[in-house]
Amino acid sequence: YKLKKMRIFANILHINKGYNSFGSKIGNYTSFAVYLGKTFNNKITSTIQFKREFIKQMIVGEAEDPWGMADSYEESSGSKKIFVIPQISYSLKSLSLFATYEIPIYQYLNGLQIGSKNQLTIGLNYRFLTKKNEISEKN
């Protein structure tokens, strides 16, 4: 969707987890994100992402728990989080250099577990574009 040379788009991701050999299931993961972006002089792109993330609680299986901690695993699993993620990228032909900074603005964690911290990601992306040769098109 384009609005005054700005882009807005959304993404939904769901990962349905399976069961392990103990019969336990790690919680399903679902995220919903909305992006707002603007390109400047065809080379620099600025994007801000708002992401909502849900992780379901673990389901503990019937198998014997060798460490006797199954109840604490279940009780200390699952979360709800909201992130703001600004991104900037510089593109030159098929090469793109980008940086993102993930900032958690809300976290609800069940039980005792490690929360998310700010995260900086810097990357280099190369795109392989398939393009027909102009000479072969004329023939």
Side-chain angles (χ1 to χ4, degrees):
Y1 177 78
K2 292 185 178 185
L3 175 67
K4 294 190 180 189
K5 297 191 179 190
M6 289 191 67
R7 291 179 313 284
I8 182 170
F9 50 100
N11 181 27
I12 296 174
L13 172 67
H14 178 77
I15 301 172
N16 197 25
K17 302 285 184 148
Y19 288 85
N20 65 16
S21 60
F22 293 114
S24 297
K25 179 180 180 180
I26 303 298
N28 294 339
Y29 173 87
T30 304
S31 74
F32 174 76
V34 175
Y35 302 79
L36 299 169
K38 184 165 178 67
T39 301
F40 304 94
N41 71 11
N42 290 335
K43 292 185 181 183
I44 298 173
T45 302
S46 174
T47 305
I48 188 157
Q49 174 186 359
F50 301 94
K51 181 170 79 170
R52 173 76 183 196
E53 176 180 282
F54 303 94
I55 301 174
K56 290 264 194 175
Q57 276 193 290
M58 177 181 189
I59 298 170
V60 176
E62 298 289 325
E64 185 179 323
D65 179 14
W67 300 282
M69 296 180 62
D71 290 338
S72 64
Y73 290 153
E74 188 172 9
E75 158 186 317
S76 293
S77 66
S79 64
K80 298 172 188 160
K81 300 176 185 179
I82 299 174
F83 298 92
V84 173
I85 308 167
Q87 175 178 335
I88 190 154
S89 63
Y90 177 79
S91 298
L92 186 61
K93 296 187 181 184
S94 295
L95 195 62
S96 182
L97 176 66
F98 66 91
T100 65
Y101 192 64
E102 187 170 292
I103 306 162
I105 58 172
Y106 172 80
Q107 296 186 69
Y108 178 82
L109 307 173
N110 296 326
L112 181 64
Q113 53 180 308
I114 298 171
S116 297
K117 291 278 199 174
N118 295 358
Q119 177 179 308
L120 174 66
T121 303
I122 298 172
L124 190 60
N125 186 9
Y126 182 79
R127 294 185 188 146
F128 295 95
L129 301 175
T130 57
K131 193 160 105 174
K132 288 185 179 181
N133 189 343
E134 291 179 24
I135 297 171
S136 65
E137 286 181 6
K138 291 179 184 178
N139 294 335

